[in-house]
Amino acid sequence: MKQGKRIVLAGVAASAGAAAAALAGWYFGIPILARLGAGYIPMAPSTAALLLLFAGALGATCLFPGRKWALRLRRAAAAFGTLASLALLVLSSLKIYIEFEHLGLPVPPGAGDFPLGHMSPATALCLMLAGLSLLAAPNDPEQSSEPTPWSLLPACMLVAASGVMALAYIFGSPVLYSGGHIPPAATTVAALFALSVAEASAAWPRRDRSLAPDRAGRREAGLLLLTFLGLSAGILGAGQLSYRHYEQHSRTEARRQLDAVAELKVSELVQWREERLADAAGFFDNPAFLALARPALSSAPDAEALRLLQGWIESHQRYENYNRIALLDPRGIERLAAPADATAPDSALVHDSRSVLAAREITFLDFYRHAPDGGIRLGLVVPIFDQPGAGQPLGFLLLSMDPARRLYPSLLHWPIPSRSAETQLVRREGNEALILNELRFDKDAALALRFSLDRTESPAVAAVLGQSGPREGVDYRGVSVAADTRAVPGSPWFLVTQMDLAEVSAPLRERLWLTVALMAALLLGAGGGLGFLWRRRALGFYRERLAAEDTIARLNAGLEQRVAERTVQLEGAVHELETFAYSVSHDLRAPLRAIEGFAGMLAQDYAAVLDAEGHRLLAVVRANARRMDALITDLLTLSRLTRSELHSARIDMSALAGEVFRAVASPQELQAVSFAADGLPEAWGDPSLVRQVWSNLFANALKFSRPKPQRRILVEGRVAGAMAVYTVSDSGVGFDQAYVHKLFGAFERLHRLDEFEGTGIGLAIVKRIVQRHGGQVLARGTPGEGAAFTFSLPARAPQGATGA
Amino acid sequence: MNAAPPRARAPAATVLVVEDNPDDLELTLAALHDLAGKVLVARDGVEALDYLFGRGVWLAQPPPAPDLVLLDLKLPRLDGMQVLRALREDPRTGHLRVVVLTSSDEARDQEGCRRLGVTDYVRKIVDFSLFRSEVRRLWPRWTGQAPESR
């Protein structure tokens, strides 16, 4: 199978397999088949169906190229799939999720932020690209040497898109997971990548196979590919490492920030409390204050003292930013207050405050709700004794503060810009952690938001349980946060500084894209560089190949032209030869005939005038004329053998040999010579020419056995493979094997003319005939013993020929 | 066109010999020596056809048709095969006995003549005595004195 086709089919199989697994997972209730792991979005049934449709259509196109039904299937599937993807893209972007996408499969309701079993807009966009590529795909990918840009372009875009999404998964930061839209499933991304590779491979132009690189070229390509894979692995690994490092660094930074802010806030709080206590101490052991308080709190208050005291605490309230300062007697009756309004004192608070008298020291009243106006207050109770810090209790001073004035703003303030960072102040109340301040995302949280101590994932709970240091958890909003907790010394408070993990990882996301972009650029660069290298090598290779082919083509063209020229020349020569032979046949004989004829007439008509020598000389003239005639006849026969066509047929060789022998041998020889030619195999040849072969061989055998008393001619035959082999042996005078090479030449003779007559052409004719049939001749002789001539002819008709 | 004087006894057969080579003509005449009655000679195809169709010099007084035409193939102007075809295509001469005497043993010549309905095809072989005996053997057939056989 060709490589391109293999890639297409592998991609098709992978994407169809993933889709089928997802559908099976939905059907049989094995969700792990549709998602890669817990915590990931599963592949929607609609996505799986469209993937199966595309993969099936592309597979059919590749396996049954050029078939009409495959073509129709592909076009219909691509058109339908593209439109369906477009519709789902619009719906999914508008967050409209239709039930039909489940295809009737049992899909459980989503537990997370998104409904399950619906297509992500990213997936829909990718499927649209896949559909467009399929629509324009070549009818027969293996035969298209031209690129199909309208198929290749969307396929390449899809390769890039699914590759980026896959990278995002690999780097643990999948696309859209924190956005408002459904993210593409991991299995979907993998299946899309496989499908895109298949489509790109199908749309890629096929190179002419005859120009395919040889083994060395393939090895080099493999080496380059390996280098590229190694480089890619290195780049990916380095990217991953750098990203993880940065991630670590970024988390440490966040932790450090949270820790520093917590430290700052705690010190601020501690200082604030100390200031308040010092402020209270300014009343507690101040003899001047006591000097005024004593008469003011007596059963008969001194008006002047009251007036002075009123002025003191009023100015103190105003400058120290207290909400209210009130002077109460031990029974809790308010003697004076600043501001001097008619607000009724909080009786519960007063009740609580009286217990402070027993403790004889300045006491912090922690965050409480002020009953009359429902506001939140902090309080300081300063007991007043008749002696500074000792003696009978005279009453107490109640200083109340509104935390919204200074405390909350200072807690809310974050020293560097952040969109989610905040500080929580918590105290333990029974088995609950109570939020004391207003929060960034919940202004009414103070004294209202409480968590059971079971909720250990909450940083506030961890804080009140005495755990200090950095941690991650889920805060009051249910949002994952990074936090730092610690206790505020000298108080019932615990401090939590926290920041959304999303904010912590925000620079990471930026960094991730930077990393991915950098890696993509590096990969492209590496691929491009290696591709350039390969191309240069390949170009050199093709150039050599083309040059070689060009040379061959030129040589071939030259050869063809030469063959054509030679053929014309040869045809001319043959025609000339024919004309020549025809002329010879007619004109060369006429003078011979005149010589012979008139010499004969001379011998006859002037017999009386000539003596015996005259007659002998005339006989020599006539004999030579006749011999010349015989030579011409044989020469013409020989030349005719070159010119005439073969009219082959099946030949009964035993019958033919016997018939020819009887024609060649004289009546006396038929009596005197023992002849045997039985059981010869049949041959395939031109009967008239084969007759000539027998005739010449028998004539030779008879001629050269004439001087021997025992005259014998034996013809034997056998079949050897495709050839029938015949041997004519005689008991004649034989010949010296040393001269066998001269035997079959024209006009070559091994005997003197006065021993044996003949033109010396007979065996040349035999050889020419046998060779024209595709056979061979050979001769074996022993002087005085005899000679054997062997020749071969085709035993049967060649394939496809009919025996006539 | 010369009419050769009749030799010795004069049998009935009148023969037209068409031959351009004087040596060959002499040999042929020698072979016919005591066979033919009156021998007429044409030196090429045109002369032969003029005589046989009564054209040209024979226009004024058309001569009687010969009993036998001995025709060479290789002739100036109009060759033997063309003469034979012309004779066979004309009803006046279609029946004439025409014997081709030629030195050619080419298959195409033999075949061509047979197709044109030649009476006989005889090779002028070099051995003159053999040729003469062949002519003598076939003479009765050519002159209608023996049944024709093919």
Side-chain angles (χ1 to χ4, degrees):
Chain A
M1 206 191 312
K2 285 165 188 168
Q3 197 171 349
K5 195 173 170 184
R6 270 204 298 262
I7 295 175
V8 174
L9 287 180
V12 161
S15 62
L23 285 178
W26 288 117
Y27 185 77
F28 294 109
I30 316 168
I32 195 75
L33 288 179
R35 60 180 76 191
L36 211 53
Y40 287 125
I41 279 281
M43 188 193 290
S46 49
T47 307
L50 285 179
L51 277 170
L52 268 181
L53 188 67
F54 287 163
L58 186 60
T61 300
C62 193
L63 284 177
F64 307 99
R67 298 280 177 81
K68 212 158 213 170
W69 67 263
L71 180 73
R72 286 207 191 109
L73 170 69
R74 178 169 63 73
R75 289 206 176 130
F80 169 78
T82 308
L83 289 177
S85 305
L86 179 63
L88 285 170
L89 172 64
V90 172
L91 288 176
S92 192
S93 302
L94 297 174
K95 300 188 185 177
I96 301 169
Y97 305 118
I98 53 170
E99 180 66 23
F100 181 72
E101 273 196 71
H102 297 162
L103 306 175
L105 291 168
V107 176
D113 303 330
F114 314 107
L116 290 185
H118 292 279
M119 193 185 287
S120 159
T123 307
L125 190 66
C126 286
L127 282 173
M128 262 184 70
L129 287 174
L132 288 174
S133 169
L134 193 62
L135 202 61
N139 292 342
D140 182 357
E142 296 314 309
Q143 298 303 319
S144 65
S145 56
E146 293 294 309
T148 37
W150 295 116
S151 178
L152 194 56
L153 188 70
C156 287
M157 285 164 71
L158 186 53
V159 170
S162 54
V164 164
M165 291 195 291
L167 273 179
Y169 260 105
I170 290 170
F171 279 85
S173 180
V175 179
L176 286 183
Y177 261 75
S178 53
H181 291 102
I182 301 180
T187 46
T188 303
V189 167
L192 279 173
F193 187 71
L195 184 66
S196 66
V197 168
E199 285 187 335
S201 177
W204 205 268
R206 299 289 185 261
R207 194 167 275 151
D208 185 357
R209 296 295 290 185
S210 67
L211 285 176
D214 57 359
R215 235 180 106 151
R218 278 204 301 276
R219 204 171 48 223
E220 202 165 321
L223 210 64
L224 281 176
L225 189 66
L226 266 180
T227 312
F228 178 69
L229 287 180
L231 269 176
S232 306
I235 290 168
L236 283 176
Q240 170 91 350
L241 260 178
S242 134
Y243 175 71
R244 291 278 171 241
H245 176 77
Y246 185 77
E247 186 181 37
Q248 196 64 37
H249 170 77
S250 153
R251 276 172 197 257
T252 312
E253 269 306 294
R255 204 172 291 159
R256 202 170 288 155
Q257 188 187 343
L258 289 171
D259 176 75
V261 173
E263 187 68 43
L264 176 72
K265 295 291 175 196
V266 164
S267 69
E268 274 176 11
L269 283 172
V270 168
Q271 196 188 343
W272 179 81
R273 280 180 75 99
E274 278 169 359
E275 277 171 15
R276 296 284 74 75
L277 285 172
D279 199 22
F283 293 104
F284 184 60
D285 46 9
N286 187 341
F289 176 72
L290 202 56
L292 281 176
R294 216 179 284 127
L297 284 170
S298 68
S299 48
D302 177 66
E304 180 61 16
L306 277 177
R307 195 185 56 81
L308 286 173
L309 211 52
Q310 180 73 31
W312 188 340
I313 57 173
E314 264 184 9
S315 68
H316 198 84
Q317 180 260 330
R318 208 174 302 123
Y319 292 126
E320 294 298 331
N321 220 356
Y322 285 103
N323 221 32
R324 193 164 192 272
I325 301 177
L327 184 69
L328 297 94
D329 64 15
R331 285 166 299 161
I333 295 164
E334 198 174 284
R335 293 297 177 87
L336 53 89
D341 52 16
T343 329
D346 190 334
S347 55
L349 182 68
V350 170
H351 180 264
D352 284 348
S353 309
R354 286 171 63 191
S355 58
V356 172
L357 284 176
R360 306 179 77 87
E361 61 180 13
I362 301 168
T363 305
F364 235 102
L365 285 180
D366 205 19
F367 291 90
Y368 65 91
R369 198 166 287 279
H370 180 59
D373 63 359
I376 290 167
R377 304 279 189 275
L378 277 160
L380 273 168
V381 184
V382 184
I384 303 165
F385 301 96
D386 53 357
Q387 296 300 316
Q392 287 298 308
L394 299 176
F396 51 90
L397 199 65
L398 188 61
L399 301 93
S400 67
M401 300 160 279
D402 186 351
R405 287 196 180 175
R406 279 184 60 191
L407 199 57
Y408 286 176
S410 111
L411 277 174
L412 264 179
H413 173 252
W414 197 265
I416 52 175
S418 163
R419 56 178 178 80
S420 71
E422 63 176 330
T423 311
Q424 294 169 18
L425 205 57
V426 208
R427 73 165 182 248
R428 182 169 177 170
E429 217 161 73
N431 280 328
E432 289 176 329
L434 180 66
I435 299 289
L436 299 176
N437 61 331
E438 58 178 43
L439 300 177
R440 187 167 188 163
F441 303 103
D442 188 355
K443 296 289 178 203
D444 303 322
L447 294 184
L449 197 59
R450 43 186 81 230
F451 303 101
S452 159
L453 292 187
D454 304 337
R455 290 181 58 179
T456 48
E457 80 277 6
S458 161
V461 171
V464 299
L465 287 176
Q467 296 166 4
S468 62
R471 70 192 63 258
E472 283 183 11
V474 179
D475 73 351
Y476 57 98
R477 296 164 296 163
V479 174
S480 298
V481 292
D484 195 282
T485 57
R486 63 193 58 199
V488 180
S491 79
W493 301 339
F494 300 90
L495 190 84
V496 176
T497 49
Q498 66 166 49
M499 186 188 274
D500 287 5
L501 273 182
E503 189 182 345
V504 173
S505 56
L508 277 176
R509 202 166 295 269
E510 218 167 84
R511 174 75 172 204
L512 172 71
W513 290 116
L514 203 70
T515 311
V516 166
L518 189 69
M519 279 192 318
L522 279 173
L523 283 176
L524 270 177
L530 289 175
F532 176 72
L533 261 180
W534 165 241
R535 202 161 172 74
R536 243 180 52 177
R537 302 298 309 240
L539 266 183
F541 168 79
Y542 289 132
R543 207 172 288 136
E544 270 173 36
R545 174 76 67 98
L546 282 176
E549 277 177 1
D550 198 40
T551 309
I552 289 171
R554 220 170 38 235
L555 287 177
N556 275 345
L559 194 64
E560 271 164 26
Q561 196 187 337
R562 274 216 300 283
V563 166
E565 281 169 8
R566 290 287 153 83
T567 305
V568 168
Q569 287 172 0
L570 197 63
E571 276 167 358
V574 166
H575 181 73
E576 215 166 273
L577 186 64
E578 270 177 33
T579 315
F580 172 73
Y582 193 76
S583 305
V584 165
S585 187
H586 279 267
D587 301 340
L588 230 55
R589 280 201 175 103
L592 281 179
R593 192 159 175 262
I595 292 167
E596 205 279 339
F598 289 113
M601 279 196 254
L602 182 64
Q604 201 174 0
D605 296 354
Y606 298 86
V609 187
L610 290 170
D611 60 1
E613 179 62 7
H615 279 292
R616 192 189 66 82
L617 291 176
L618 272 180
V620 171
V621 170
R622 294 178 68 188
N624 273 291
R626 283 199 291 270
R627 182 169 154 66
M628 184 73 189
D629 181 46
L631 280 171
I632 289 173
T633 304
D634 280 357
L635 256 182
L636 285 175
T637 307
L638 198 58
S639 87
R640 204 174 290 133
L641 279 176
T642 325
R643 297 180 275 139
S644 64
E645 271 180 49
L646 288 183
H647 301 283
S648 289
R650 208 156 46 83
I651 306 170
D652 179 349
M653 290 295 258
S654 289
L656 183 63
E659 184 191 324
V660 172
F661 180 74
R662 283 188 294 280
V664 171
S666 64
Q668 301 93 311
E669 283 172 329
L670 282 176
Q671 292 291 321
V673 180
S674 90
F675 176 82
D678 305 318
L680 299 181
E682 285 183 346
W684 177 262
D686 187 324
S688 65
L689 294 181
V690 175
R691 173 184 289 271
Q692 178 98 49
V693 169
W694 286 127
S695 172
N696 288 9
L697 288 178
F698 290 157
N700 266 9
L702 287 170
K703 185 163 67 185
F704 292 106
S705 64
R706 210 161 283 149
K708 307 280 281 205
Q710 291 288 322
R711 296 176 71 186
R712 193 162 36 77
I713 297 176
L714 177 61
V715 186
E716 295 160 303
R718 63 194 164 87
V719 174
M723 305 301 280
V725 183
Y726 306 91
T727 303
V728 178
S729 5
D730 63 61
S731 58
V733 297
F735 61 89
D736 189 343
Q737 191 70 21
Y739 302 113
V740 72
H741 60 280
K742 294 183 123 188
L743 212 51
F744 294 100
F747 303 117
E748 291 282 1
R749 298 173 52 91
L750 296 186
H751 301 276
R752 293 197 320 273
L753 201 54
D754 56 352
E755 288 178 314
F756 299 102
E757 79 283 5
T759 56
I761 290 183
L763 284 177
I765 290 174
V766 166
K767 185 179 181 183
R768 183 70 58 87
I769 291 173
V770 170
Q771 281 180 338
R772 282 212 65 192
H773 282 84
Q776 286 178 314
V777 285
L778 51 93
R780 189 158 293 279
T782 318
E785 297 285 314
F789 291 86
T790 301
F791 66 95
S792 56
L793 293 172
R796 58 192 78 90
Q799 298 281 313
T802 50
Chain B
M1 176 72 58
N2 306 327
R7 293 186 178 220
R9 300 163 304 278
T14 304
V15 181
L16 173 65
V17 179
V18 190
E19 175 64 79
D20 63 321
N21 184 329
D23 291 345
D24 264 13
L25 177 63
E26 192 173 344
L27 288 173
T28 302
L29 292 178
L32 294 175
H33 169 58
D34 50 356
L35 293 173
K38 187 177 177 188
V39 177
L40 306 158
V41 175
R43 251 88 57 90
D44 62 37
V46 176
E47 272 188 19
L49 287 184
D50 281 355
Y51 179 82
L52 291 169
F53 289 129
R55 302 185 303 214
V57 292
W58 303 98
L59 193 60
Q61 190 186 6
D67 297 309
L68 176 67
V69 179
L70 295 181
L71 185 64
D72 190 11
L73 282 185
K74 220 177 166 204
L75 293 168
R77 298 210 275 182
L78 209 60
D79 73 22
M81 207 83 87
Q82 286 167 308
V83 172
L84 181 58
R85 183 176 295 114
L87 292 179
R88 286 293 178 251
E89 282 170 358
D90 195 296
R92 290 171 293 169
T93 53
H95 62 279
L96 266 179
R97 288 196 184 84
V98 181
V99 172
V100 166
L101 290 181
T102 177
S103 48
S104 165
D105 55 354
E106 290 283 323
R108 56 174 175 170
D109 286 343
Q110 293 199 28
E111 283 299 308
C113 293
R114 295 242 178 274
R115 269 203 299 278
L116 288 173
V118 79
T119 307
D120 221 335
Y121 185 100
V122 174
R123 282 193 54 217
K124 296 189 282 188
I125 53 175
V126 169
D127 190 328
F128 178 70
S129 47
L130 265 181
F131 173 74
R132 189 165 54 188
S133 54
E134 189 75 358
V135 170
R136 282 182 173 284
R137 185 173 70 81
L138 294 168
W139 183 256
R141 207 166 87 194
W142 296 350
T143 51
Q145 291 162 9
E148 285 186 33
S149 63
R150 293 269 166 94

